[in-house]
Amino acid sequence: MKNMKIYILSFLFALACTACNDWLDVDPKDKVLEEKQYSTEDYINSALNGLYRQMVSTNLYGGQLSQTSVEAMAHYYVYSSAAASISSDVIYQLSKWSYTSDRAKAKLLNVWKDGYSTLLNINNYIRGVNESPALLSKEHKNLLLGEAYALRAYLHFDLFRLYGPYPYDANSADKVLPYNRSADITMNHDGYEENIYSTPKEYIELLLKDIEEAKGLLQDDPILDPASESITNVLQEGFYKNRNRRMNYYALKGLEARVLQYIGRDTEAAAAAKVITDLVEANQVFYWMNKSNVVRQNNYIFFSEVIFGINNSNFRSNGTSWYLGETITKEIYVMNEDNLMKNIFNGYDNETSVEELANKDIRAKQWGFSNLVPDNGIVFPSVSYYVSSKYKVVADEAYNAVNDFQPLMRVSEMYYIQAETAMKAGNTANAVALINKVLVNRVGTDQYYLSTSATAVEIRAALTKEYYREFFGEGQVWFYHKRIQSTSIFSGRVEGTEDVTKSDYIVPIPDEEKNI
């Protein structure tokens, strides 16, 4: 975490420019600037919004932890057959889980740097709010701090899932990653790793402690009132509106479910997830998307089911670059037709095209034929390739909350968490019922629901395909494979699977962090 001071100062500078253009003219010293940032309620609100803007960086949830790098690692994307001779093709390198090429190392370094600099700014925010002279109501201060603690836990967990050990071992004495709760700048020094890093168990304990702290602070979250209309298709004015676009109490419960499942505390994970699915069953707060509205609204993020997401104003420009290849030579994020039809959506009868699949599973409707003309050495397999319209900007003002929205957690995952717990406990009937709760809202006929007589092996296969079908561009599938210790995953290029080994799951900590 060298040079973190640069990130704090640039963060404060950016906030200053948006909130009060003459701050630097009046008080050029960074300490004064920091104090001013926490001097009023409006500035404090602005600073929290600034943390969300950092999280949507293309090195974090605006790209690498959602739509690009971790999805290449999960074999969503096809790479050029010429890629083996193209050392700069990062999709090829990540798809081969080769983390030592220059471009792969640069990508992973940027995730680390942006991740820990954002955490440092979250810590600075927590300190700033606690020390602020501004007159904040107790309820508002608790909400601000609750979101910050929850964001700290959320980001720490994904850094653990990416760079952390494989598999998780609570008994390991190895120091694996730093769990940063300090706003002070920590420079590398002799004994740095021993003093700053945590063992896997210590790291998770600190993470769960932050979750508990945040739960206590978010007891008055407006989203807890089913009548508050805190989630709508239309953007609303006010700090307490559109709560699923911010870290909220239910997102925190979803995070708790993810963490507990990851470390093997399945029963507790299922209980946390059920808090959310109970709302869905009662038609409160979160609602299943009506299949007939998905195409009309271009709503493949299933907005009313999103527990937590963040605004990303760069979706259109990034999508043009990543999926149409207008700015990145030999680096095109496209899906292979065989991977879609014969791997991910395998199991539907008589499908002859992706377009035909869409009549059976609404999630396939997002995939459209790519008009990319391969050139400059790009050679894809002979089958067609597709791009997703999942993040296409919606023009209709009646659905403007769907625009530029990066979903990070949805209710379907909460059903899958419970289903997996039931399967492990030998309750295959309950596992099937939970998966079919999702399928009822995704497929056109019950002939494609999971059979009530499905075995544990068949349930696992169904869950794997469901993760691929449901969470494209959301960064969950690679972490799913790592958690369940998969020994094979879909090829991405042809029908069938490709072996994955223990070493493939171990993403190295960047050299720049290890070098003192």
Side-chain angles (χ1 to χ4, degrees):
M1 281 181 284
K2 293 185 260 185
N3 301 322
M4 284 302 181
K5 184 173 183 179
I6 296 172
Y7 296 106
I8 274 192
L9 297 186
S10 61
F11 170 70
L12 292 169
F13 179 81
L15 291 176
C17 290
T18 58
C20 182
N21 290 330
D22 60 359
W23 276 357
L24 295 182
D25 293 333
V26 177
D27 295 298
K29 295 182 180 180
D30 55 276
K31 182 62 179 176
V32 175
L33 178 62
E34 182 179 340
E35 290 173 352
K36 278 185 174 286
Q37 182 61 65
Y38 299 101
S39 63
T40 71
E41 182 173 330
D42 284 345
Y43 291 157
I44 291 172
N45 292 348
S46 176
L48 182 58
N49 290 337
L51 296 175
Y52 285 100
R53 286 194 293 273
Q54 280 196 290
M55 291 184 71
V56 84
S57 154
T58 55
N59 291 322
L60 296 177
Y61 299 103
Q64 292 209 65
L65 293 181
S66 59
Q67 297 182 66
T68 60
S69 293
V70 291
E71 301 294 66
M73 291 159 67
H75 285 189
Y76 271 109
Y77 302 122
V78 64
Y79 52 82
S80 164
S81 60
S85 62
I86 302 172
S87 61
S88 64
D89 191 324
V90 74
I91 296 177
Y92 171 80
Q93 300 295 340
L94 293 174
S95 295
K96 288 298 184 182
W97 311 303
S98 175
Y99 309 123
T100 57
S101 70
D102 288 345
R103 287 205 64 201
K105 287 171 68 174
K107 290 272 189 185
L108 295 168
L109 172 62
N110 287 335
V111 174
W112 180 278
K113 288 198 304 185
D114 277 24
Y116 276 104
S117 65
T118 300
L119 288 169
L120 197 60
N121 285 325
I122 291 173
N123 295 337
N124 193 62
Y125 178 83
I126 291 171
R127 182 175 67 182
V129 172
N130 280 322
E131 296 178 355
S132 171
L135 296 177
L136 299 173
S137 70
K138 180 181 178 181
E139 292 77 14
H140 188 54
K141 183 176 181 179
N142 284 348
L143 189 75
L144 297 170
L145 289 172
E147 287 189 33
Y149 276 104
L151 290 175
R152 185 166 78 180
Y154 191 96
L155 182 50
H156 267 116
F157 182 53
D158 279 348
L159 291 173
F160 186 83
R161 291 199 290 181
L162 183 63
Y163 297 102
Y166 173 87
Y168 171 76
D169 180 4
N171 296 317
S172 172
D174 293 339
K175 298 281 190 173
V176 291
L177 286 176
Y179 196 97
N180 186 18
R181 298 186 298 162
S182 172
D184 296 324
I185 299 162
T186 303
M187 303 295 288
N188 280 359
H189 55 266
D190 290 335
Y192 168 76
E193 185 170 316
E194 180 65 27
N195 294 333
I196 302 301
Y197 278 45
S198 300
T199 66
K201 182 180 180 180
E202 290 169 344
Y203 192 101
I204 293 298
E205 285 177 345
L206 291 171
L207 200 161
L208 290 173
K209 183 177 180 180
D210 271 352
I211 289 175
E212 287 302 312
E213 182 75 19
K215 277 197 290 187
L217 291 164
L218 291 175
Q219 290 300 310
D220 294 319
D221 190 332
I223 204 171
L224 291 169
D225 178 6
S228 68
E229 294 188 352
S230 54
I231 298 175
T232 69
N233 283 330
V234 180
L235 287 175
Q236 300 172 305
E237 294 293 330
F239 196 80
Y240 294 100
K241 304 298 184 181
N242 300 106
R243 288 296 295 161
N244 65 338
R245 299 177 76 92
R246 309 181 70 87
M247 178 56 75
N248 60 76
Y249 180 86
Y250 293 122
L252 189 63
K253 291 297 294 183
L255 173 61
E256 182 180 36
R258 274 185 186 173
V259 174
L260 292 171
Q261 184 186 45
Y262 198 85
I263 62 174
R265 290 163 59 176
D266 298 293
T267 302
E268 295 169 87
K274 190 173 184 295
V275 170
I276 295 165
T277 58
D278 281 351
L279 293 171
V280 180
E281 299 302 312
N283 286 316
Q284 293 180 343
V285 186
F286 305 106
Y287 305 86
W288 290 113
M289 272 291 297
N290 186 317
K291 291 191 290 290
S292 64
N293 291 334
V294 170
V295 177
R296 180 167 61 90
Q297 299 177 13
N298 198 71
N299 196 339
Y300 296 104
I301 65 172
F302 306 110
F303 178 82
S304 63
E305 304 171 21
V306 177
I307 307 168
F308 171 48
I310 48 180
N311 187 68
N312 184 354
S313 60
N314 294 320
F315 268 144
R316 182 183 290 274
S317 59
N318 286 344
T320 298
S321 171
W322 294 334
Y323 305 132
L324 300 180
E326 293 184 4
T327 61
I328 305 178
T329 303
K330 302 183 181 70
E331 190 175 312
I332 315 300
Y333 294 88
V334 294
M335 180 82 83
N336 178 291
E337 183 180 37
D338 281 348
N339 194 34
L340 272 174
M341 291 182 56
K342 299 177 181 179
N343 293 333
I344 295 173
F345 285 97
N346 179 42
Y348 294 92
D349 293 332
N350 303 316
E351 62 271 13
T352 60
S353 68
V354 173
E355 291 75 15
E356 196 169 293
L357 272 173
N359 295 322
K360 299 173 179 177
D361 191 321
I362 194 65
R363 293 168 295 191
K365 195 85 172 178
Q366 69 180 279
W367 294 99
F369 183 71
S370 172
N371 59 3
L372 175 69
V373 178
D375 60 4
N376 295 324
I378 300 174
V379 182
F380 288 107
S382 58
V383 297
S384 300
Y385 42 97
Y386 288 75
V387 292
S388 170
S389 62
K390 186 170 186 174
Y391 301 117
K392 182 179 178 181
V393 174
V394 181
D396 194 329
E397 281 296 311
Y399 313 111
N400 64 2
V402 183
N403 289 351
D404 300 335
F405 189 55
Q406 175 71 56
L408 296 180
M409 191 180 297
R410 291 191 287 112
V411 297
S412 51
E413 182 185 355
M414 301 300 113
Y415 283 93
Y416 299 150
I417 287 172
Q418 294 174 78
E420 194 168 331
T421 298
M423 177 195 71
K424 288 182 176 180
N427 191 346
T428 54
N430 190 35
V432 167
L434 286 159
I435 294 171
N436 284 342
K437 288 275 190 181
V438 180
L439 291 176
V440 166
N441 295 281
R442 299 292 188 258
V443 305
T445 172
D446 59 6
Q447 75 180 97
Y448 301 119
Y449 298 171
L450 191 59
S451 169
T452 55
S453 62
T455 65
V457 172
E458 291 169 331
I459 291 169
R460 171 59 71 196
L463 278 170
T464 298
K465 284 186 286 189
E466 279 299 292
Y467 266 79
Y468 274 95
R469 294 170 183 175
E470 189 76 6
F471 299 125
F472 164 73
E474 298 180 35
Q476 297 306 313
V477 175
W478 175 249
F479 297 139
Y480 164 81
H481 281 297
K482 186 172 181 178
R483 175 177 58 78
I484 68 170
Q485 302 179 43
S486 297
T487 56
S488 64
I489 71 172
F490 293 139
S491 166
R493 293 180 55 78
V494 295
E495 181 179 3
T497 61
E498 183 173 325
D499 291 342
V500 54
T501 67
K502 178 178 179 178
S503 63
D504 296 326
Y505 287 115
I506 299 175
V507 176
I509 291 173
D511 293 338
E512 287 81 352
E513 167 65 10
K514 294 183 292 186
N515 295 334
I516 297 175

